[in-house]
Amino acid sequence: IDALLDAGPVRLRPILMTSLATLAGAAPAVFASGAGEETIRPMGVVVFGGVLVSTLMSLYVCPSWYLVLSRFESHKHDDELKDAMRLLGELPAEKAAA
């Protein structure tokens, strides 16, 4: 849960920026008129819809599945991970018991 709460705000802006840029690029194809519009418009609609669906999946479905599947995660190497993180300076060293 902590990982989701930390990563959510950090990843929201880049996901929305790239999605909006792609939607803006597909908009002329969606609203095309004139010669060749019968082939360009369906492609624009598919790109537009695909970006919307993938954005929703990136923001809601993937994190929720991560939370559901994390319950089945093995914790047998947690002590080794904490030792490695302390060695790299990611966690403060434990104080020696007096």
Side-chain angles (χ1 to χ4, degrees):
I1 293 175
D2 291 336
L4 290 174
L5 293 176
D6 289 342
V10 173
R11 295 300 305 153
L12 178 65
R13 183 173 177 242
I15 289 171
L16 289 180
M17 287 176 65
T18 55
S19 297
L20 290 175
T22 307
L23 291 173
V30 172
F31 302 112
S33 62
E37 75 175 282
E38 63 276 355
T39 59
I40 294 173
R41 186 173 290 158
M43 179 187 64
V45 170
V46 168
V47 169
F48 203 87
V51 170
L52 284 178
V53 169
S54 65
T55 301
L56 291 176
M57 290 186 72
S58 295
L59 294 176
Y60 296 108
V61 176
C62 291
S64 62
W65 273 104
Y66 177 83
L67 183 62
V68 169
L69 295 177
S70 69
R71 295 180 184 162
F72 302 108
E73 181 181 17
S74 172
H75 295 282
K76 68 180 183 178
H77 296 290
D78 283 353
D79 292 333
E80 295 172 15
L81 177 62
K82 286 181 184 178
D83 291 340
M85 290 179 71
R86 277 191 203 94
L87 184 66
L88 293 171
E90 297 288 326
L91 289 177
E94 290 183 12
K95 295 181 180 180

